[in-house]
Amino acid sequence: MDAVRTLAGRGVPRTLWGVRKRATATAVLVVAAALVIGGLTMLVLLQTSLVATAEVAARGEATDVAAQISEQGLAEGRHIIEAAGDVGQYVQLLSPQGSVVFSSVPAAAAAPLTGLRPDEGQTVVQGVPELDSLDNDDDFLVVATGVRDKGVLYTVVVAVTTQVEANTVATVSWFVLGATPLLLTLVGTAVWMLVGRSLQQVERIRGQVATITARRLDGRVEVPPTADEIQALAQTMNSMLERLEAADLEQRRFVSDASHELRSPLATLSAGVEIAAADQSGRTWDEMKSVLAGETARMQYLVENLLTLAKANDGGLRLEKTDVDLDDVLNDEIVRLRSTSRHRIVAHLEPARITGDARRLAQVVRNVLDNADRYAKSVVSIEVHNAEAQATITIDNDGPPVPAADRERIFERFVRLDESRSRERGGSGLGLAIAAAVVAAHHGSIRASEAPGGGCRFEMVFPHAAPADDTGKKVSGRKISR
């Protein structure tokens, strides 16, 4: 297959080649953009900093000369101007007419370096590409400061070349320009290798997952000890495979159990129909029609329960929620149970109201009551306790309690703790599973435990409904204690 062919002998699958190329190209482009932006910013800042340094030096020289002239006269100013030639600056003192009075070097004595004529105490800065009077085509920065001596306004001019700064910036620019391809090559190579290594692990995981089929869900992918996203991906894959395997096993068990449960009534119906059809007198049909009707009802009951559980598992169990009085629901089911049970039924019901589906709640109560009556020895007790935030239904019977190890498992589908006795008493193993699903849909909980005085206890907890308004709606039911 193309997905596992290699390119250039490097073991890179074609399906990952494009990903590797795009990742490397993206990384190189991003780094190149960063280098361009960063390099330009650095060069601008460097040039600005160097020029600012030269300007500060020129301003300082002009200020010193002006201060000496202002305080001690032109003679002292001349000494400072002539000394400035030793530090690479061109300094002039210009008369009001623009002639050169003093200069730091002979080359600057012929003509003024600038036409700037600032007032006393004022400093003006000017950048010029070259100074013809100095026969120098370098870039210059000219600073002019006005100063008075004996009432006459002179101009102190300081010219400093900025060619060194420009050369420095050019050198750095060439260095950045030359280093950029090398750096981009290193980045591209590193990203190519790192992405390749990562994608090879992803491809290994993909290949291992591809070998896992619906008939073989027990396979797992190898978890690399890399402590990164690849390891997390492998662990997530294994968790997903575990859930899929569990769901598959649950589905297979459900189908098997459903088939097993439906086999018996279907066999009875099939055999009964064949026997009745073979009897021309019709007496066999008269004798078996009650049996066939019972098996049909049993099969219908199983199918309805299976559909209810399937909807609950798929999140499709629809509830017609209204305000429901739990005491009324329990009272109706207690009346029904007393008419059919051979045990003593004891009830103590406090008024309690919740929000829920009355029909589904009655189904829950009926399933739990039938289970309690099925295993009771002589007494079934029902209580409803109303607390501030919740209502609790407690159903006890004096039969054996559910073993601690089975108190969670008993709410699973088709679970019977005593298979033979459950079948004899009509249990399908679905009643408590349906009860748990409906209670969960009402945001409640159900659990099995041992009653304080011994025996079996089932406890259901439901959150309360919102308080009733002032329209006169019922806020509590009747209290029954028998």
Side-chain angles (χ1 to χ4, degrees), residues 203-453:
E203 173 62 17
R204 186 182 302 113
I205 293 174
R206 187 206 64 79
Q208 292 172 350
V209 172
T211 62
I212 300 173
T213 63
R215 295 186 177 182
R216 182 179 167 271
L217 288 174
D218 58 342
R220 297 294 181 268
V221 301
E222 179 184 353
V223 179
T226 53
D228 57 7
E229 289 78 6
I230 302 298
Q231 184 185 58
L233 173 63
Q235 293 172 343
T236 303
M237 280 289 187
N238 284 337
S239 299
M240 181 189 68
L241 290 171
E242 290 175 0
R243 293 193 297 271
L244 288 175
E245 183 182 16
D248 180 69
L249 291 175
E250 180 69 15
Q251 183 181 18
R252 291 175 184 272
R253 188 167 67 88
F254 178 81
V255 173
S256 176
D257 291 340
S259 301
H260 183 72
E261 290 294 330
L262 293 172
R263 183 184 304 164
S264 177
L266 283 174
T268 302
L269 288 172
S270 177
V273 170
E274 290 180 0
I275 294 172
D279 185 3
Q280 300 296 328
S281 65
R283 285 180 297 180
T284 302
W285 172 254
D286 292 336
E287 295 173 355
M288 297 192 65
K289 61 182 179 180
S290 59
V291 176
L292 296 179
E295 291 300 302
T296 302
R298 178 186 173 188
M299 190 166 60
Q300 181 181 3
Y301 172 76
L302 285 171
V303 171
E304 289 177 353
N305 285 344
L306 289 172
L307 289 175
T308 299
L309 285 174
K311 291 179 180 179
N313 291 340
D314 293 338
L317 186 62
R318 298 183 59 183
L319 300 178
E320 299 177 0
K321 291 188 176 182
T322 58
D323 288 344
V324 179
D325 294 307
L326 278 180
D327 50 315
D328 289 347
V329 173
L330 278 162
N331 183 68
D332 293 341
E333 292 301 322
I334 289 170
V335 171
R336 177 195 63 82
L337 183 62
R338 281 179 172 158
S339 65
T340 59
S341 175
R342 57 186 178 84
H343 302 127
R344 186 165 63 95
I345 310 300
V346 179
H348 179 76
L349 310 180
E350 295 180 0
R353 168 168 287 189
I354 67 170
T355 298
D357 189 322
R359 183 175 61 86
R360 292 293 186 184
L361 290 172
Q363 184 181 16
V364 170
V365 172
R366 175 173 298 191
N367 289 348
V368 178
L369 282 177
D370 288 345
N371 183 82
D373 184 62
R374 187 177 298 122
Y375 295 108
K377 295 179 180 178
S378 59
V379 179
V380 176
S381 300
I382 304 99
E383 294 185 2
V384 175
H385 298 287
N386 196 21
E388 181 178 354
Q390 62 188 26
T392 303
I393 301 175
T394 303
I395 298 177
D396 296 339
N397 68 81
D398 57 353
V402 178
D406 297 321
R407 289 176 184 172
E408 294 291 336
R409 193 173 67 90
I410 197 173
F411 295 105
E412 297 177 4
R413 292 171 298 194
F414 299 110
V415 170
R416 300 186 185 88
L417 302 185
D418 187 340
E419 289 288 336
S420 61
R421 186 168 63 178
S422 296
R423 289 184 185 278
E424 292 171 0
R425 299 187 181 188
S428 64
L430 296 175
L432 293 181
I434 292 174
V438 174
V439 170
H442 284 81
H443 306 290
S445 63
I446 181 172
R447 67 187 184 95
S449 61
E450 184 174 355

